Each structure stands twice: as structure tokens, then as C-alpha cells.
Amino acid sequence: MPAARRIELPSGQLLEISTVAERPELAGAEVDVAGWPEFMRHNRVSEAYFWQTLETFPTTCLVATTSDGVVVGDAHAVQLRSRGELPAGGWEQVVVWAFADARRGLEPDVACALNISVAQDLQGQGVAGHLLAALRDAAADLGLGQLHAPVRPSRKQLEPVRRCRSTPPGLARTVCRSIRGSGHMSGPVGRSSAWLRRPG
């Protein structure tokens, strides 16, 4: 993405989407998403690597800002050498591969999105779709052949056995397959029922 992407929301508000490489002073800025589900905070691979993406892959990490400079959205993606099929380990395995490749100096040829966050007062206005499109452009500008984007059903904590049945139109070119072991959450026995808001 050679220049910041400027978009207008249905409400008329203007946003600018930039890479962290272009706006390093905004790396790690907090976005008020009204809280992540508790179970999402207990993944050890995420704890070890997630915030390092800003330093290691700033050209595929994005921030969305208002006209007065407030960060209202962000997106993170890693870069890696393709291994063919998406791994059974899903999100976690891709993250480990990406950082191993970077350490070994391997040239990446694909990107993989890790998350997209949108401030609660702007949710429902298509900001996530704009961030995903900007990630795709950023990957293409780097010469990367594909952008993979793992997804989970919304409100997964309320329906833990629910699977993704479809992808919103315009957000993905191809839905590849379901990954059963994409993320493992660790905690004391019995804690999962509280995370998922289910009776023990």
C-alpha cells in the first residue's frame, strides 16, 4: 500500500488507513472494541508473538485513524514462506512459521491475517472490510501471492460448537476449509465453562 487509503463511511466520517511502517508512532495504540471475549486472552502462542508482529511485519500491520488522528481500527498480518496447504494447526502454526522464517531470513511469498479490530462506535459500518481490503493491497504491494484470513464465528463464546458456515460477500475470494485446531486456550480445569458462559 504505497499511500494511505482514505475512505468515507456511511455516516459520512472520513478515515485514513496506513501501515505501521508509515505510522510507527501509532504501533500498539489501543482500540476500544468494547472488550474481547475472555477465552481469547488465554492463547500462549498469541501471548508470545502477537505484539511482536508490529516490529517484525510493520508493512502488513495497519491502523485506521479519524481526521483528528484517533486510532479507531487496526489489523495485523504476518508474512511467511508458503508450505502449500494451510496447516492443521491453523492460526497458531502460521504464526510460528512466520517468525521462524523471519529469523532464518527466508523470503516470504504469502501473508496471513491475525486479527482486525474496530472501535465499538464504528462497528457495523464496513470498517473491517476496508481494513481487510487494505491488507490485501499491502500484501500485493510487497509481491506476496496470497493473503490468508482465518476467521471464527461472531460471539463464539456463546455458541462454542458453532462453525463458520459462510463468509460475508466481498470479503474473501475463496473459503478454503475448516481448521479444527486453529487456537488452543490454556487455563485451570473448570475455567472454560466460565469463559464460554456455559454451566459447568
mmCIF file with all atom_site columns, all heavy atoms in Angstrom, residues 98-110:
data_model
loop_
_atom_site.group_PDB
_atom_site.id
_atom_site.type_symbol
_atom_site.label_atom_id
_atom_site.label_alt_id
_atom_site.label_comp_id
_atom_site.label_asym_id
_atom_site.label_entity_id
_atom_site.label_seq_id
_atom_site.pdbx_PDB_ins_code
_atom_site.Cartn_x
_atom_site.Cartn_y
_atom_site.Cartn_z
_atom_site.occupancy
_atom_site.B_iso_or_equiv
_atom_site.pdbx_formal_charge
_atom_site.auth_seq_id
_atom_site.auth_comp_id
_atom_site.auth_asym_id
_atom_site.auth_atom_id
_atom_site.pdbx_PDB_model_num
ATOM 1  N N   . ALA A 1 98  ? 5.883  -18.088 10.566 1.00 0.00 ? 98  ALA A N   1
ATOM 2  C CA  . ALA A 1 98  ? 6.247  -16.736 10.119 1.00 0.00 ? 98  ALA A CA  1
ATOM 3  C C   . ALA A 1 98  ? 7.453  -16.200 10.876 1.00 0.00 ? 98  ALA A C   1
ATOM 4  O O   . ALA A 1 98  ? 8.385  -15.651 10.270 1.00 0.00 ? 98  ALA A O   1
ATOM 5  C CB  . ALA A 1 98  ? 5.047  -15.800 10.283 1.00 0.00 ? 98  ALA A CB  1
ATOM 6  N N   . PHE A 1 99  ? 7.455  -16.360 12.201 1.00 0.00 ? 99  PHE A N   1
ATOM 7  C CA  . PHE A 1 99  ? 8.580  -15.841 12.973 1.00 0.00 ? 99  PHE A CA  1
ATOM 8  C C   . PHE A 1 99  ? 9.834  -16.685 12.772 1.00 0.00 ? 99  PHE A C   1
ATOM 9  O O   . PHE A 1 99  ? 10.954 -16.153 12.779 1.00 0.00 ? 99  PHE A O   1
ATOM 10 C CB  . PHE A 1 99  ? 8.195  -15.727 14.442 1.00 0.00 ? 99  PHE A CB  1
ATOM 11 C CG  . PHE A 1 99  ? 7.404  -14.482 14.736 1.00 0.00 ? 99  PHE A CG  1
ATOM 12 C CD1 . PHE A 1 99  ? 6.021  -14.498 14.688 1.00 0.00 ? 99  PHE A CD1 1
ATOM 13 C CD2 . PHE A 1 99  ? 8.040  -13.280 15.018 1.00 0.00 ? 99  PHE A CD2 1
ATOM 14 C CE1 . PHE A 1 99  ? 5.285  -13.344 14.922 1.00 0.00 ? 99  PHE A CE1 1
ATOM 15 C CE2 . PHE A 1 99  ? 7.317  -12.122 15.249 1.00 0.00 ? 99  PHE A CE2 1
ATOM 16 C CZ  . PHE A 1 99  ? 5.940  -12.151 15.205 1.00 0.00 ? 99  PHE A CZ  1
ATOM 17 N N   . ALA A 1 100 ? 9.667  -17.984 12.558 1.00 0.00 ? 100 ALA A N   1
ATOM 18 C CA  . ALA A 1 100 ? 10.831 -18.826 12.254 1.00 0.00 ? 100 ALA A CA  1
ATOM 19 C C   . ALA A 1 100 ? 11.432 -18.429 10.905 1.00 0.00 ? 100 ALA A C   1
ATOM 20 O O   . ALA A 1 100 ? 12.658 -18.339 10.758 1.00 0.00 ? 100 ALA A O   1
ATOM 21 C CB  . ALA A 1 100 ? 10.417 -20.303 12.247 1.00 0.00 ? 100 ALA A CB  1
ATOM 22 N N   . ASP A 1 101 ? 10.591 -18.176 9.914  1.00 0.00 ? 101 ASP A N   1
ATOM 23 C CA  . ASP A 1 101 ? 11.078 -17.756 8.599  1.00 0.00 ? 101 ASP A CA  1
ATOM 24 C C   . ASP A 1 101 ? 11.813 -16.423 8.678  1.00 0.00 ? 101 ASP A C   1
ATOM 25 O O   . ASP A 1 101 ? 12.867 -16.232 8.057  1.00 0.00 ? 101 ASP A O   1
ATOM 26 C CB  . ASP A 1 101 ? 9.905  -17.621 7.618  1.00 0.00 ? 101 ASP A CB  1
ATOM 27 C CG  . ASP A 1 101 ? 9.317  -18.957 7.199  1.00 0.00 ? 101 ASP A CG  1
ATOM 28 O OD1 . ASP A 1 101 ? 9.870  -20.000 7.587  1.00 0.00 ? 101 ASP A OD1 1
ATOM 29 O OD2 . ASP A 1 101 ? 8.295  -18.945 6.480  1.00 0.00 ? 101 ASP A OD2 1
ATOM 30 N N   . ALA A 1 102 ? 11.238 -15.486 9.445  1.00 0.00 ? 102 ALA A N   1
ATOM 31 C CA  . ALA A 1 102 ? 11.876 -14.173 9.576  1.00 0.00 ? 102 ALA A CA  1
ATOM 32 C C   . ALA A 1 102 ? 13.244 -14.306 10.225 1.00 0.00 ? 102 ALA A C   1
ATOM 33 O O   . ALA A 1 102 ? 14.210 -13.644 9.806  1.00 0.00 ? 102 ALA A O   1
ATOM 34 C CB  . ALA A 1 102 ? 10.981 -13.247 10.399 1.00 0.00 ? 102 ALA A CB  1
ATOM 35 N N   . ARG A 1 103 ? 13.343 -15.150 11.227 1.00 0.00 ? 103 ARG A N   1
ATOM 36 C CA  . ARG A 1 103 ? 14.622 -15.340 11.923 1.00 0.00 ? 103 ARG A CA  1
ATOM 37 C C   . ARG A 1 103 ? 15.667 -15.969 11.008 1.00 0.00 ? 103 ARG A C   1
ATOM 38 O O   . ARG A 1 103 ? 16.850 -15.644 11.074 1.00 0.00 ? 103 ARG A O   1
ATOM 39 C CB  . ARG A 1 103 ? 14.412 -16.212 13.163 1.00 0.00 ? 103 ARG A CB  1
ATOM 40 C CG  . ARG A 1 103 ? 15.639 -16.340 14.046 1.00 0.00 ? 103 ARG A CG  1
ATOM 41 C CD  . ARG A 1 103 ? 15.327 -17.101 15.312 1.00 0.00 ? 103 ARG A CD  1
ATOM 42 N NE  . ARG A 1 103 ? 16.487 -17.202 16.192 1.00 0.00 ? 103 ARG A NE  1
ATOM 43 C CZ  . ARG A 1 103 ? 16.848 -16.278 17.053 1.00 0.00 ? 103 ARG A CZ  1
ATOM 44 N NH1 . ARG A 1 103 ? 16.151 -15.168 17.177 1.00 0.00 ? 103 ARG A NH1 1
ATOM 45 N NH2 . ARG A 1 103 ? 17.915 -16.455 17.807 1.00 0.00 ? 103 ARG A NH2 1
ATOM 46 N N   . ARG A 1 104 ? 15.208 -16.872 10.125 1.00 0.00 ? 104 ARG A N   1
ATOM 47 C CA  . ARG A 1 104 ? 16.125 -17.556 9.204  1.00 0.00 ? 104 ARG A CA  1
ATOM 48 C C   . ARG A 1 104 ? 16.406 -16.744 7.945  1.00 0.00 ? 104 ARG A C   1
ATOM 49 O O   . ARG A 1 104 ? 17.224 -17.147 7.112  1.00 0.00 ? 104 ARG A O   1
ATOM 50 C CB  . ARG A 1 104 ? 15.528 -18.911 8.805  1.00 0.00 ? 104 ARG A CB  1
ATOM 51 C CG  . ARG A 1 104 ? 15.395 -19.887 9.956  1.00 0.00 ? 104 ARG A CG  1
ATOM 52 C CD  . ARG A 1 104 ? 14.579 -21.093 9.540  1.00 0.00 ? 104 ARG A CD  1
ATOM 53 N NE  . ARG A 1 104 ? 14.372 -22.000 10.662 1.00 0.00 ? 104 ARG A NE  1
ATOM 54 C CZ  . ARG A 1 104 ? 13.363 -22.863 10.751 1.00 0.00 ? 104 ARG A CZ  1
ATOM 55 N NH1 . ARG A 1 104 ? 12.469 -22.932 9.770  1.00 0.00 ? 104 ARG A NH1 1
ATOM 56 N NH2 . ARG A 1 104 ? 13.248 -23.655 11.799 1.00 0.00 ? 104 ARG A NH2 1
ATOM 57 N N   . GLY A 1 105 ? 15.708 -15.624 7.766  1.00 0.00 ? 105 GLY A N   1
ATOM 58 C CA  . GLY A 1 105 ? 15.918 -14.791 6.590  1.00 0.00 ? 105 GLY A CA  1
ATOM 59 C C   . GLY A 1 105 ? 15.295 -15.334 5.328  1.00 0.00 ? 105 GLY A C   1
ATOM 60 O O   . GLY A 1 105 ? 15.718 -14.983 4.219  1.00 0.00 ? 105 GLY A O   1
ATOM 61 N N   . LEU A 1 106 ? 14.243 -16.177 5.456  1.00 0.00 ? 106 LEU A N   1
ATOM 62 C CA  . LEU A 1 106 ? 13.580 -16.732 4.279  1.00 0.00 ? 106 LEU A CA  1
ATOM 63 C C   . LEU A 1 106 ? 12.665 -15.673 3.658  1.00 0.00 ? 106 LEU A C   1
ATOM 64 O O   . LEU A 1 106 ? 11.971 -14.943 4.357  1.00 0.00 ? 106 LEU A O   1
ATOM 65 C CB  . LEU A 1 106 ? 12.759 -17.963 4.661  1.00 0.00 ? 106 LEU A CB  1
ATOM 66 C CG  . LEU A 1 106 ? 13.533 -19.165 5.205  1.00 0.00 ? 106 LEU A CG  1
ATOM 67 C CD1 . LEU A 1 106 ? 12.577 -20.307 5.533  1.00 0.00 ? 106 LEU A CD1 1
ATOM 68 C CD2 . LEU A 1 106 ? 14.588 -19.623 4.202  1.00 0.00 ? 106 LEU A CD2 1
ATOM 69 N N   . GLU A 1 107 ? 12.645 -15.612 2.349  1.00 0.00 ? 107 GLU A N   1
ATOM 70 C CA  . GLU A 1 107 ? 11.817 -14.650 1.643  1.00 0.00 ? 107 GLU A CA  1
ATOM 71 C C   . GLU A 1 107 ? 10.354 -15.098 1.689  1.00 0.00 ? 107 GLU A C   1
ATOM 72 O O   . GLU A 1 107 ? 10.018 -16.195 1.246  1.00 0.00 ? 107 GLU A O   1
ATOM 73 C CB  . GLU A 1 107 ? 12.267 -14.536 0.188  1.00 0.00 ? 107 GLU A CB  1
ATOM 74 C CG  . GLU A 1 107 ? 11.663 -13.393 -0.575 1.00 0.00 ? 107 GLU A CG  1
ATOM 75 C CD  . GLU A 1 107 ? 12.189 -12.035 -0.144 1.00 0.00 ? 107 GLU A CD  1
ATOM 76 O OE1 . GLU A 1 107 ? 13.299 -11.978 0.417  1.00 0.00 ? 107 GLU A OE1 1
ATOM 77 O OE2 . GLU A 1 107 ? 11.493 -11.040 -0.387 1.00 0.00 ? 107 GLU A OE2 1
ATOM 78 N N   . PRO A 1 108 ? 9.442  -14.264 2.206  1.00 0.00 ? 108 PRO A N   1
ATOM 79 C CA  . PRO A 1 108 ? 8.029  -14.670 2.264  1.00 0.00 ? 108 PRO A CA  1
ATOM 80 C C   . PRO A 1 108 ? 7.371  -14.573 0.902  1.00 0.00 ? 108 PRO A C   1
ATOM 81 O O   . PRO A 1 108 ? 7.784  -13.783 0.054  1.00 0.00 ? 108 PRO A O   1
ATOM 82 C CB  . PRO A 1 108 ? 7.431  -13.669 3.247  1.00 0.00 ? 108 PRO A CB  1
ATOM 83 C CG  . PRO A 1 108 ? 8.265  -12.440 3.074  1.00 0.00 ? 108 PRO A CG  1
ATOM 84 C CD  . PRO A 1 108 ? 9.667  -12.936 2.804  1.00 0.00 ? 108 PRO A CD  1
ATOM 85 N N   . ASP A 1 109 ? 6.324  -15.387 0.698  1.00 0.00 ? 109 ASP A N   1
ATOM 86 C CA  . ASP A 1 109 ? 5.541  -15.262 -0.529 1.00 0.00 ? 109 ASP A CA  1
ATOM 87 C C   . ASP A 1 109 ? 4.039  -15.228 -0.270 1.00 0.00 ? 109 ASP A C   1
ATOM 88 O O   . ASP A 1 109 ? 3.253  -15.105 -1.209 1.00 0.00 ? 109 ASP A O   1
ATOM 89 C CB  . ASP A 1 109 ? 5.895  -16.366 -1.531 1.00 0.00 ? 109 ASP A CB  1
ATOM 90 C CG  . ASP A 1 109 ? 5.756  -17.771 -0.956 1.00 0.00 ? 109 ASP A CG  1
ATOM 91 O OD1 . ASP A 1 109 ? 5.145  -17.934 0.120  1.00 0.00 ? 109 ASP A OD1 1
ATOM 92 O OD2 . ASP A 1 109 ? 6.258  -18.720 -1.597 1.00 0.00 ? 109 ASP A OD2 1
ATOM 93 N N   . VAL A 1 110 ? 3.621  -15.330 1.007  1.00 0.00 ? 110 VAL A N   1
ATOM 94 C CA  . VAL A 1 110 ? 2.211  -15.182 1.362  1.00 0.00 ? 110 VAL A CA  1
ATOM 95 C C   . VAL A 1 110 ? 2.119  -14.395 2.668  1.00 0.00 ? 110 VAL A C   1
ATOM 96 O O   . VAL A 1 110 ? 3.101  -14.253 3.398  1.00 0.00 ? 110 VAL A O   1
ATOM 97 C CB  . VAL A 1 110 ? 1.495  -16.544 1.538  1.00 0.00 ? 110 VAL A CB  1
ATOM 98 C CG1 . VAL A 1 110 ? 1.507  -17.343 0.242  1.00 0.00 ? 110 VAL A CG1 1
ATOM 99 C CG2 . VAL A 1 110 ? 2.105  -17.347 2.672  1.00 0.00 ? 110 VAL A CG2 1
#
